[in-house]
Every structure is written in structure tokens, then in C-alpha cells.
Amino acid sequence: MSLSSSSAASLPRMRMFDKIPSAEEFISEIEPLNVPAVFSGCIKNWKAFSQWNPSNGGLDYLQEKAGSSTVEAMLSQQAPVFYGDIRSHERVSLPFSTFIGYCKDNLCDRCDGEDSFLESKKHTLTESHTGQFEFPEQIYLAQVPILNIECTEKVQLECLREDVEMPPFLESKTISSINLWMNSAQSRSSTHYDPHHNLLCIVSGCKQAVVLWPPSACPFLYPRPIYGEASNHSTLDLDEPNFCAHPRAEHSDEYSQKIILHGGDALFIPEGWYHQVDSETLTIAVNFWWRSDMMSGLSDHMDSYYLRRILRRLIDKEMNQLLHLPSLVDDKIDGNQSDQPNTRVPGGVQLRQMSVLHETDQLAVSALQKLVSLVHERVNPNQPVNSTPANNLAVEGKDESNEIMKPDLFNLKDDPVALLLWTLQPLALRCVLLAMAHNFPRTLEALILLVLSPVGAEVLTRKFEEMDQLIGEEDRSQFFQIFYGVFDNQIAAMDALLNGKESFARQICVTKVRDYGEVSFTAVLSSRLKRKGMKKWSGFIFDSGWKKK
């Protein structure tokens, strides 16, 4: 058994156990982590381990014990890869004894040094008049039930149940199904996840490569649409990925972990973990599926709540990642260190305005000049900044004929205004905005109503919330009184900030739903949010002084 991985150090790491855990250890220390675990030699005491091995007459044993049973198999002309999508394979019924015959023939071919598998790939599958398949390498016994508590009539190999023992650490679990997996030639199951916890036990042969990805790697594996058939399967060809069609796939290896499993080993694959399994010729495995405690404990009437909570969590995580630019941390502009929470704003706009900034805060002054310039360039692109009086800057956002279009930017690096705001420390930004309110009120109004993009609104409101934590209640109240006092319509200013912030979150929401579910319904989602949910979405925003009561 060997292990290799190209995943980042911060990702969940597969755990290796030489000792079989007790039920208590598994329930308390292994299962709750939702991280794969390998149990070496876990099933060597099974009757199946000693009796099913093809090298020791196991095929004769299986034929005698279960040969009369009819099993359902996967048939695929794309073998050795077997895709879960029903369009890519057929389900065919055949006597178990027939499949055992294929395995015996393959075993003889291997002994004679023939490679009938490679030759068979050149042909097309046909079925002879006797009902046997000409190219049996395209047949794979996948998920043949030995036990199924939900549908007992579908159980095809119940006669093998006595050869399979329940691992002691699963004794307290309600097993939903036990299945046989058996291939006569080399095979690969396509990349997919299971909706249940899975214990994969290797009875004979070798799983040459089991590659696993955590649920967080879902966007990089391009799952099939969540509303479609085989929605738990990836659409990627990992051997020859098309990076033009699937650009995120370039990062899939960074999340992967690989394990080789031999006879006697068992692998715990938690629900939601993607896995691709390569099996050598004549590999026999048994797996156990059971529902996780989390899924078992979910009440139907809570589904919509959990969906909203999880989606909000994904949105917040993505926003934090988009706005976290390490290269900018050292370049952030600090305000005057004397401008601490105890600083008070006298009546009017007297808080150390432009003249004080000019004397002590050269970096903040530079930021102010650049911000004013950016706003002027946006509102009056054909006029030099100095040719437009600051207090007469046109703000005509309420006029439908106005040609000034508010930028629809969501990437911080693409928006110079948002990027500038991001580089300012909260107290430095406070000084800049107060100076703008006093010296360039119309420019400040244009910034908020005409220039601020969705990502800019998110950055500015985050800075406001950071500022709230650094100044007292009286200073906070006075600051926002000055800030909103610039606007003829203060509600319009607040709406501009809220609408931009919500537009930013909405775009991320649509992106995450697409990435995780491959669902393209941007227009539907946007219209529903606008028609029904947008006002409610503001409930996700922490209360802050920038929101006018």
C-alpha cells in the first residue's frame, strides 16, 4: 500500500490505520472528520478473502456458490472507462456463471501471455446467438447487491452474504446496502461522489489507483447538472482534459490524493468525496453504504433553511477570497496615527480637513487626489480634472437619458476606484471622505451614485464596518451625518450602496450555484431575487452605521 498526493498542505489529509478501530473510536474520532481513512488488512479474516481469490480456485468457488444467480452488469463500448451516465453504458442481465467464465478465460489468457483486452478495444461489441458477449472486457459487475434494505427484491447475490463479515467499527451503523464490484479486465470507474458514507473493501486483486478529491474541489471537477441524471458524476476526462472548455480543471490536481489498495485493505470514503477508481484485471471488492449522522438528522422542513445557510456561507467565503489580495497588505495607506477613537468631530465639517491632511498625511492626500481624479475621469471623461469645478460636478444619475453608466465590475483588480479604497486603512479613509465632503461634495456624490461598482460598494461598506469598530458612538454618528449630508437624497445614497453590495453578492451566488451544481439560471435567479428576495437579503448584512435607519 502506497500513498501520494499533490494537494495543498491545508487540505484534509487521508489517514492511515494499521490497527482496526473500535466502534467507539470510529464514531468519535474518524467518521465525524469526514476525511478518508485506510484500514490496512481490515478484512483478512473474512471467509471471502480466503475463498474468492482467483489464484486459489476462488472462481470455481463463486461459480458453485452463486453461478445460478442472474446479475445486472454495466456494458460499455468506452471500456476500460465505465461512466455512470446512463447515456454512456447499458445495463444488461446475464448469469453470474457466464461472467465467471469470462474471468476464467481472461485468467488463462494472462497465463499464456496474451493481451486480448487491448485487441478487443479495436472492435465493436456484439452479442452472439448464444447470448454471450463477444468482447466481455466491456462488461463490469458494478454495484451488484448482496444486501439492500430498501429494495430486497433487487438483491441478486444474497447467497454471498455469509462470506462477508461486518467490520466491527460498523456494527452500530444501519447499513443500507452491501454490493459486489468485480471486473474481468482492467477498468476505471469515472470520477463521482456518493451520497452515503462508503467503506470499500478489497477482497482480491488491486485497486491500482484510487484518486480522491474533497467536496470543496467540486467546482474544479465540473459535475453534471444537479437537476440531471448522474448528477454526482464529473464531466471531465482527467487523462486528456480540455482546459479551454474547463479552465478550472487545471487546479484539480492540487486537491487530489491518491492511494493504492491491495487485498485485505479497506478505504473509508466519506459522503461527498469525489473518487476515481482504477482496478487491475480480476479485482474483486465489496462495499458498505450507510447514511451519515448529519444526513440522517436532517428534517425535511429544515431543507430550505440549510440551503440558504450553506449558500450564504459559500458566498461569504468567496467574497473574502476575492477581496483578499496579499500583495496589497503592505501597501495599505494608514491615516494619521493621531486620529484615534477619541478624536471628536466639532460642529459642521471641522474634523482636520484638507489643510490638516496636507500637513501630516501626505499618503492620504495623494489618495484623495487620485480618488477625485478617478471620479472626474469617469463622469467627465473628455474634460481635464482641473477644468471641472469640483462643487459643480454633474450628478445626473436620476435622469434616464443620462449617458453615464455605472460600472458593472465584480473583480477588485479590474476596478481602480475599488482598489484604491481597499488600500486605505479605515481611519485614513475616514479622513479622505471627510475632506471630500467639505472640499468636493459633488464629487463624493458622483462617487456613490455614479461611479461605485458592485465590488466597490462591497469594499466601501466593509471599510465602514471596520471603521465602526475603531471609533466611538458619537464620532460614528457625526461621521455618517457629515457623509450623508452631502446628498440631496440620502435614501438614494444608501440604496446605491445596498444595491451595489447586493449585486456583488448576487453575482457570487449565481457563480457558486453554477460551479457546484452546473446550473445556468442566472436570469431566473436574478429575477427571483429582485422580485421576492432582495429586501430579505439585506438581513444578511450586519447592522452598521452606514445603513440609514
Side-chain angles (χ1 to χ4, degrees), residues 43-79:
I43 65 164
K44 286 188 174 181
N45 62 336
W46 282 13
K47 185 178 180 180
F49 182 75
S50 60
Q51 296 292 328
W52 296 7
N53 191 331
S55 301
N56 299 325
L59 295 178
D60 290 333
Y61 174 87
L62 288 170
Q63 184 155 338
E64 180 180 350
K65 191 174 184 69
S68 60
S69 300
T70 298
V71 295
E72 192 175 78
M74 292 179 69
L75 184 156
S76 174
Q77 296 186 30
Q78 297 173 297

Short mmCIF file of all heavy atoms in Angstrom, two decimals, residues 43-79:
data_model
loop_
_atom_site.label_atom_id
_atom_site.label_comp_id
_atom_site.label_asym_id
_atom_site.label_seq_id
_atom_site.Cartn_x
_atom_site.Cartn_y
_atom_site.Cartn_z
N ILE A 43 -9.89 -6.78 6.37
CA ILE A 43 -10.85 -7.86 6.10
C ILE A 43 -10.15 -9.20 5.84
O ILE A 43 -10.76 -10.11 5.25
CB ILE A 43 -11.74 -7.50 4.89
CG1 ILE A 43 -10.90 -7.40 3.61
CG2 ILE A 43 -12.47 -6.19 5.14
CD1 ILE A 43 -11.73 -7.44 2.34
N LYS A 44 -8.93 -9.36 6.32
CA LYS A 44 -8.20 -10.60 6.05
C LYS A 44 -8.79 -11.81 6.77
O LYS A 44 -8.44 -12.96 6.44
CB LYS A 44 -6.73 -10.42 6.41
CG LYS A 44 -5.97 -9.56 5.41
CD LYS A 44 -4.48 -9.54 5.66
CE LYS A 44 -3.73 -8.79 4.55
NZ LYS A 44 -2.27 -8.77 4.77
N ASN A 45 -9.67 -11.56 7.73
CA ASN A 45 -10.30 -12.68 8.42
C ASN A 45 -11.64 -13.07 7.80
O ASN A 45 -12.32 -13.98 8.28
CB ASN A 45 -10.51 -12.34 9.90
CG ASN A 45 -11.43 -11.14 10.09
OD1 ASN A 45 -11.57 -10.32 9.18
ND2 ASN A 45 -12.05 -11.04 11.26
N TRP A 46 -12.02 -12.41 6.71
CA TRP A 46 -13.27 -12.76 6.03
C TRP A 46 -13.12 -14.12 5.34
O TRP A 46 -12.07 -14.48 4.82
CB TRP A 46 -13.61 -11.73 4.96
CG TRP A 46 -14.19 -10.44 5.44
CD1 TRP A 46 -14.24 -9.97 6.72
CD2 TRP A 46 -14.78 -9.43 4.61
NE1 TRP A 46 -14.83 -8.74 6.76
CE2 TRP A 46 -15.18 -8.38 5.48
CE3 TRP A 46 -15.00 -9.32 3.26
CZ2 TRP A 46 -15.79 -7.22 5.00
CZ3 TRP A 46 -15.62 -8.17 2.77
CH2 TRP A 46 -16.02 -7.13 3.65
N LYS A 47 -14.23 -14.83 5.30
CA LYS A 47 -14.27 -16.05 4.50
C LYS A 47 -14.07 -15.72 3.02
O LYS A 47 -13.41 -16.46 2.28
CB LYS A 47 -15.60 -16.77 4.72
CG LYS A 47 -15.71 -18.11 4.03
CD LYS A 47 -17.03 -18.78 4.34
CE LYS A 47 -17.15 -20.12 3.64
NZ LYS A 47 -18.45 -20.80 3.93
N ALA A 48 -14.64 -14.60 2.60
CA ALA A 48 -14.49 -14.17 1.20
C ALA A 48 -13.03 -13.97 0.84
O ALA A 48 -12.61 -14.27 -0.29
CB ALA A 48 -15.28 -12.89 0.96
N PHE A 49 -12.23 -13.45 1.77
CA PHE A 49 -10.82 -13.16 1.48
C PHE A 49 -10.07 -14.45 1.16
O PHE A 49 -9.20 -14.47 0.28
CB PHE A 49 -10.18 -12.45 2.68
CG PHE A 49 -8.75 -12.07 2.47
CD1 PHE A 49 -8.40 -11.00 1.67
CD2 PHE A 49 -7.73 -12.82 3.05
CE1 PHE A 49 -7.07 -10.66 1.46
CE2 PHE A 49 -6.40 -12.49 2.85
CZ PHE A 49 -6.07 -11.41 2.05
N SER A 50 -10.40 -15.52 1.84
CA SER A 50 -9.69 -16.78 1.61
C SER A 50 -10.32 -17.63 0.51
O SER A 50 -9.62 -18.40 -0.16
CB SER A 50 -9.65 -17.59 2.91
OG SER A 50 -10.97 -17.87 3.37
N GLN A 51 -11.63 -17.46 0.27
CA GLN A 51 -12.32 -18.35 -0.66
C GLN A 51 -12.53 -17.77 -2.05
O GLN A 51 -12.74 -18.52 -3.01
CB GLN A 51 -13.70 -18.73 -0.06
CG GLN A 51 -13.65 -19.51 1.23
CD GLN A 51 -13.08 -20.91 1.03
OE1 GLN A 51 -13.24 -21.53 -0.02
NE2 GLN A 51 -12.36 -21.42 2.03
N TRP A 52 -12.52 -16.43 -2.21
CA TRP A 52 -12.84 -15.83 -3.51
C TRP A 52 -11.62 -15.55 -4.37
O TRP A 52 -11.77 -15.17 -5.53
CB TRP A 52 -13.60 -14.51 -3.32
CG TRP A 52 -14.94 -14.62 -2.67
CD1 TRP A 52 -15.51 -15.73 -2.12
CD2 TRP A 52 -15.88 -13.57 -2.50
NE1 TRP A 52 -16.75 -15.44 -1.60
CE2 TRP A 52 -17.01 -14.10 -1.83
CE3 TRP A 52 -15.91 -12.22 -2.82
CZ2 TRP A 52 -18.13 -13.34 -1.49
CZ3 TRP A 52 -17.01 -11.45 -2.49
CH2 TRP A 52 -18.12 -12.01 -1.84
N ASN A 53 -10.44 -15.72 -3.87
CA ASN A 53 -9.22 -15.35 -4.60
C ASN A 53 -9.07 -16.20 -5.86
O ASN A 53 -8.94 -17.44 -5.78
CB ASN A 53 -8.00 -15.54 -3.70
CG ASN A 53 -6.75 -14.93 -4.29
OD1 ASN A 53 -6.61 -14.82 -5.51
ND2 ASN A 53 -5.83 -14.52 -3.43
N PRO A 54 -9.09 -15.57 -7.06
CA PRO A 54 -8.97 -16.35 -8.30
C PRO A 54 -7.70 -17.19 -8.37
O PRO A 54 -7.69 -18.24 -9.03
CB PRO A 54 -8.98 -15.27 -9.39
CG PRO A 54 -9.71 -14.12 -8.77
CD PRO A 54 -9.31 -14.14 -7.34
N SER A 55 -6.64 -16.76 -7.71
CA SER A 55 -5.38 -17.50 -7.76
C SER A 55 -5.44 -18.79 -6.96
O SER A 55 -4.58 -19.68 -7.13
CB SER A 55 -4.23 -16.64 -7.22
OG SER A 55 -4.10 -15.45 -7.98
N ASN A 56 -6.44 -18.90 -6.10
CA ASN A 56 -6.57 -20.08 -5.24
C ASN A 56 -7.87 -20.83 -5.48
O ASN A 56 -8.46 -21.38 -4.55
CB ASN A 56 -6.48 -19.67 -3.75
CG ASN A 56 -5.15 -19.03 -3.41
OD1 ASN A 56 -4.12 -19.42 -3.96
ND2 ASN A 56 -5.16 -18.07 -2.50
N GLY A 57 -8.34 -20.79 -6.72
CA GLY A 57 -9.57 -21.50 -7.03
C GLY A 57 -10.83 -20.75 -6.66
O GLY A 57 -11.91 -21.35 -6.61
N GLY A 58 -10.72 -19.44 -6.43
CA GLY A 58 -11.87 -18.67 -5.99
C GLY A 58 -12.98 -18.59 -7.03
O GLY A 58 -14.16 -18.50 -6.68
N LEU A 59 -12.62 -18.61 -8.30
CA LEU A 59 -13.65 -18.52 -9.35
C LEU A 59 -14.53 -19.78 -9.36
O LEU A 59 -15.74 -19.69 -9.56
CB LEU A 59 -12.99 -18.31 -10.71
CG LEU A 59 -12.23 -16.98 -10.88
CD1 LEU A 59 -11.57 -16.91 -12.26
CD2 LEU A 59 -13.16 -15.78 -10.69
N ASP A 60 -13.91 -20.93 -9.13
CA ASP A 60 -14.70 -22.16 -9.03
C ASP A 60 -15.63 -22.10 -7.83
O ASP A 60 -16.80 -22.52 -7.92
CB ASP A 60 -13.78 -23.37 -8.91
CG ASP A 60 -13.02 -23.66 -10.20
OD1 ASP A 60 -13.54 -23.30 -11.28
OD2 ASP A 60 -11.91 -24.22 -10.12
N TYR A 61 -15.13 -21.57 -6.74
CA TYR A 61 -15.95 -21.44 -5.53
C TYR A 61 -17.16 -20.55 -5.80
O TYR A 61 -18.30 -20.88 -5.45
CB TYR A 61 -15.10 -20.89 -4.39
CG TYR A 61 -15.89 -20.57 -3.13
CD1 TYR A 61 -16.12 -21.55 -2.18
CD2 TYR A 61 -16.39 -19.29 -2.90
CE1 TYR A 61 -16.84 -21.27 -1.03
CE2 TYR A 61 -17.11 -19.00 -1.76
CZ TYR A 61 -17.34 -19.99 -0.82
OH TYR A 61 -18.07 -19.71 0.32
N LEU A 62 -16.93 -19.40 -6.41
CA LEU A 62 -18.02 -18.45 -6.69
C LEU A 62 -19.02 -19.04 -7.68
O LEU A 62 -20.24 -18.84 -7.55
CB LEU A 62 -17.44 -17.13 -7.22
CG LEU A 62 -16.71 -16.25 -6.21
CD1 LEU A 62 -16.00 -15.10 -6.92
CD2 LEU A 62 -17.69 -15.70 -5.16
N GLN A 63 -18.51 -19.76 -8.66
CA GLN A 63 -19.42 -20.34 -9.65
C GLN A 63 -20.32 -21.40 -9.01
O GLN A 63 -21.52 -21.48 -9.30
CB GLN A 63 -18.62 -20.96 -10.80
CG GLN A 63 -19.51 -21.50 -11.92
CD GLN A 63 -18.80 -21.55 -13.25
OE1 GLN A 63 -17.82 -20.83 -13.45
NE2 GLN A 63 -19.29 -22.36 -14.16
N GLU A 64 -19.74 -22.20 -8.14
CA GLU A 64 -20.54 -23.21 -7.46
C GLU A 64 -21.53 -22.59 -6.50
O GLU A 64 -22.68 -23.04 -6.39
CB GLU A 64 -19.61 -24.18 -6.72
CG GLU A 64 -20.35 -25.29 -5.97
CD GLU A 64 -19.41 -26.24 -5.26
OE1 GLU A 64 -18.18 -26.16 -5.49
OE2 GLU A 64 -19.89 -27.06 -4.46
N LYS A 65 -21.13 -21.53 -5.81
CA LYS A 65 -21.97 -20.94 -4.77
C LYS A 65 -23.05 -20.02 -5.34
O LYS A 65 -24.18 -19.98 -4.83
CB LYS A 65 -21.10 -20.16 -3.78
CG LYS A 65 -21.83 -19.72 -2.51
CD LYS A 65 -20.87 -19.10 -1.55
CE LYS A 65 -21.55 -18.75 -0.22
NZ LYS A 65 -21.94 -19.97 0.54
N ALA A 66 -22.74 -19.27 -6.40
CA ALA A 66 -23.69 -18.26 -6.88
C ALA A 66 -23.86 -18.27 -8.39
O ALA A 66 -24.49 -17.37 -8.95
CB ALA A 66 -23.22 -16.86 -6.43
N GLY A 67 -23.34 -19.29 -9.07
CA GLY A 67 -23.36 -19.31 -10.53
C GLY A 67 -24.74 -19.28 -11.13
O GLY A 67 -24.94 -18.76 -12.23
N SER A 68 -25.74 -19.78 -10.43
CA SER A 68 -27.10 -19.81 -10.98
C SER A 68 -27.82 -18.47 -10.85
O SER A 68 -28.91 -18.31 -11.42
CB SER A 68 -27.91 -20.90 -10.27
OG SER A 68 -27.98 -20.63 -8.87
N SER A 69 -27.24 -17.56 -10.14
CA SER A 69 -27.88 -16.24 -9.96
C SER A 69 -27.75 -15.41 -11.22
O SER A 69 -26.77 -15.52 -11.97
CB SER A 69 -27.23 -15.49 -8.79
OG SER A 69 -27.35 -16.20 -7.58
N THR A 70 -28.75 -14.58 -11.46
CA THR A 70 -28.70 -13.63 -12.57
C THR A 70 -28.30 -12.27 -12.02
O THR A 70 -28.88 -11.79 -11.04
CB THR A 70 -30.07 -13.53 -13.27
OG1 THR A 70 -30.40 -14.81 -13.82
CG2 THR A 70 -30.03 -12.50 -14.39
N VAL A 71 -27.30 -11.68 -12.64
CA VAL A 71 -26.79 -10.39 -12.16
C VAL A 71 -26.95 -9.35 -13.25
O VAL A 71 -27.03 -9.67 -14.44
CB VAL A 71 -25.31 -10.49 -11.73
CG1 VAL A 71 -25.16 -11.41 -10.54
CG2 VAL A 71 -24.44 -10.97 -12.90
N GLU A 72 -27.01 -8.11 -12.84
CA GLU A 72 -27.08 -6.99 -13.77
C GLU A 72 -25.71 -6.33 -13.83
O GLU A 72 -25.12 -6.01 -12.80
CB GLU A 72 -28.14 -5.97 -13.32
CG GLU A 72 -28.47 -4.93 -14.36
CD GLU A 72 -29.61 -4.02 -13.93
OE1 GLU A 72 -29.35 -3.11 -13.12
OE2 GLU A 72 -30.75 -4.23 -14.38
N ALA A 73 -25.21 -6.13 -15.04
CA ALA A 73 -23.86 -5.59 -15.23
C ALA A 73 -23.90 -4.33 -16.08
O ALA A 73 -24.88 -4.05 -16.78
CB ALA A 73 -22.97 -6.64 -15.88
N MET A 74 -22.80 -3.59 -16.02
CA MET A 74 -22.60 -2.45 -16.90
C MET A 74 -21.93 -2.93 -18.18
O MET A 74 -20.97 -3.71 -18.13
CB MET A 74 -21.72 -1.38 -16.25
CG MET A 74 -22.35 -0.66 -15.08
SD MET A 74 -21.21 0.57 -14.37
CE MET A 74 -21.15 1.81 -15.67
N LEU A 75 -22.41 -2.47 -19.31
CA LEU A 75 -21.82 -2.78 -20.60
C LEU A 75 -21.46 -1.45 -21.27
O LEU A 75 -22.32 -0.59 -21.45
CB LEU A 75 -22.81 -3.57 -21.47
CG LEU A 75 -22.35 -4.08 -22.83
CD1 LEU A 75 -23.20 -5.27 -23.24
CD2 LEU A 75 -22.44 -3.01 -23.90
N SER A 76 -20.19 -1.30 -21.62
CA SER A 76 -19.75 -0.03 -22.17
C SER A 76 -18.76 -0.23 -23.29
O SER A 76 -17.77 -0.97 -23.15
CB SER A 76 -19.09 0.84 -21.08
OG SER A 76 -18.54 2.01 -21.63
N GLN A 77 -19.02 0.42 -24.42
CA GLN A 77 -18.08 0.39 -25.53
C GLN A 77 -16.91 1.34 -25.30
O GLN A 77 -15.98 1.38 -26.09
CB GLN A 77 -18.80 0.75 -26.84
CG GLN A 77 -19.87 -0.26 -27.22
CD GLN A 77 -20.47 0.03 -28.59
OE1 GLN A 77 -19.81 0.58 -29.46
NE2 GLN A 77 -21.72 -0.34 -28.78
N GLN A 78 -16.98 2.12 -24.21
CA GLN A 78 -15.89 3.04 -23.85
C GLN A 78 -14.93 2.42 -22.86
O GLN A 78 -14.07 3.10 -22.32
CB GLN A 78 -16.47 4.34 -23.29
CG GLN A 78 -17.31 5.11 -24.30
CD GLN A 78 -18.01 6.30 -23.66
OE1 GLN A 78 -18.84 6.16 -22.76
NE2 GLN A 78 -17.65 7.49 -24.12
N ALA A 79 -15.09 1.11 -22.62
CA ALA A 79 -14.18 0.41 -21.71
C ALA A 79 -12.73 0.63 -22.19
O ALA A 79 -12.48 0.73 -23.38
CB ALA A 79 -14.53 -1.07 -21.67
#
